[in-house]
């Protein structure tokens, strides 16, 4: 494989790319079926936008489960087939992992809201400046305050995007270790194996 800085990267949003089962949504099998065409374009890498389990508040960029594929896109077997077939054509896969934040339905955040200090520290919770006043005047990219008040804690959590996308605390070494585990999992599952 040539120097990645000289490679051609082709971004695919699976949901709107190619539907193989007639449900109106693109899927991973659709990407596999179009690999020969993609190869004719001179593509070195396919950049796949998120296909993980997600409530889809932000088109999959709100990840509920980093370890599983959203059934609307297919199965792990579909992903492994895609990785294997892409490799046969000299095409590498890049996965858009989304590690700035998670979905508020992610088990880490659910545990944080339940009072588990370990998981609370996976996110950025702060006291307000005064009653009813967020920690800062930061605005979310989706509009409004970037802070959401949690009455049970009398604290706010940071969400630079949608309120359902709490930001991860990258100052926490445990968060960095969890993220590294996710990356290793997908590197292992996406590594083609031949008999």
């Amino acid at each position: 494989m040539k120097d990645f800085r000289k490679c051609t990267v082709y971004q695919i949003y699976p949901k709107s790319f190619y539907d193989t089962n007639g449900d109106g949504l693109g899927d991973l099998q659709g990407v596999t079926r179009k690999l020969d065409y993609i190869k004719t374009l001179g593509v070195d890498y396919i950049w796949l936008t998120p296909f993980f389990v997600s409530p889809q508040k932000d088109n999959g960029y709100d990840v509920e489960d980093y370890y599983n594929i959203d059934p609307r896109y297919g199965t792990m077997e579909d992903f492994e087939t895609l990785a294997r077939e892409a490799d046969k054509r000299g095409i590498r896969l890049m996965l858009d992992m989304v590690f700035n934040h998670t979905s508020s339905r992610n088990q880490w955040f659910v545990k944080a809201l339940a009072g588990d200090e370990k998981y609370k520290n996976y996110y950025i919770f702060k006291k307000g400046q005064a009653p009813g006043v967020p920690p800062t005047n930061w605005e979310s990219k989706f509009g409004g305050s970037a802070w959401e008040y949690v009455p049970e804690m009398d604290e706010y959590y940071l969400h630079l995007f949608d309120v359902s996308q709490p930001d991860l605390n990258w100052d926490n070494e445990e968060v960095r270790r969890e993220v590294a585990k996710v990356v290793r999992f997908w590197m292992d599952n996406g590594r083609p194996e031949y008999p």
Side-chain angles (χ1 to χ4, degrees):
M1 186 57 78
K2 61 186 175 185
D3 182 336
F4 76 93
R5 291 168 293 189
K6 298 176 182 175
C7 288
T8 301
V9 178
Y10 187 81
Q11 183 179 9
I12 292 178
Y13 182 52
K15 186 190 260 186
S16 63
F17 185 68
Y18 188 73
D19 176 14
T20 62
N21 61 9
D23 67 356
L25 296 173
D27 45 55
L28 294 176
Q29 285 187 25
V31 179
T32 302
R33 287 198 196 172
K34 294 295 182 180
L35 285 173
D36 287 333
Y37 167 71
I38 293 167
K39 180 65 177 172
T40 68
L41 301 176
V43 170
D44 300 297
Y45 284 88
I46 292 174
W47 167 11
L48 285 172
T49 59
F51 51 80
F52 313 106
V53 173
S54 165
Q56 298 289 317
K57 298 282 189 183
D58 186 18
N59 297 306
Y61 283 88
D62 48 329
V63 178
E64 180 177 341
D65 181 351
Y66 287 109
Y67 291 100
N68 285 292
I69 293 169
D70 195 310
R72 72 190 83 200
Y73 299 125
T75 64
M76 185 61 76
E77 183 180 351
D78 293 332
F79 175 76
E80 290 167 351
T81 298
L82 170 59
R84 187 170 54 251
E85 292 300 318
D87 186 66
K88 287 179 185 176
R89 293 160 176 81
I91 299 172
R92 302 286 188 230
L93 300 181
M94 293 171 50
L95 306 188
D96 200 335
M97 304 300 291
V98 197
F99 291 134
N100 176 71
H101 50 258
T102 69
S103 164
S104 56
R105 288 170 41 175
N106 186 289
Q107 64 172 336
W108 302 341
F109 194 69
V110 171
K111 289 177 180 178
L113 290 183
D116 187 321
E117 280 299 314
K118 171 184 172 177
Y119 289 100
K120 186 179 174 197
N121 290 327
Y122 275 31
Y123 297 91
I124 300 169
F125 284 88
K126 300 277 184 193
K127 290 287 186 188
Q129 296 180 49
V133 181
T136 69
N137 64 353
W138 297 353
E139 289 190 11
S140 160
K141 304 226 183 265
F142 280 46
S145 175
W147 296 95
E148 180 69 9
Y149 184 61
V150 181
E152 297 79 10
M153 296 179 170
D154 190 28
E155 288 184 312
Y156 294 78
Y157 67 83
L158 180 66
H159 62 92
L160 294 177
F161 291 85
D162 186 69
V163 67
S164 68
Q165 295 170 288
D167 278 44
L168 286 167
N169 176 13
W170 275 85
D171 288 335
N172 183 340
E173 192 173 319
E174 283 189 271
V175 169
R176 296 196 297 270
R177 282 198 296 267
E178 287 277 11
V179 165
K181 277 170 53 180
V182 171
V183 171
R184 281 193 298 271
F185 172 84
W186 286 101
M187 287 177 69
D188 289 344
N189 275 282
R191 186 171 295 127
E193 293 179 12
Y194 301 103

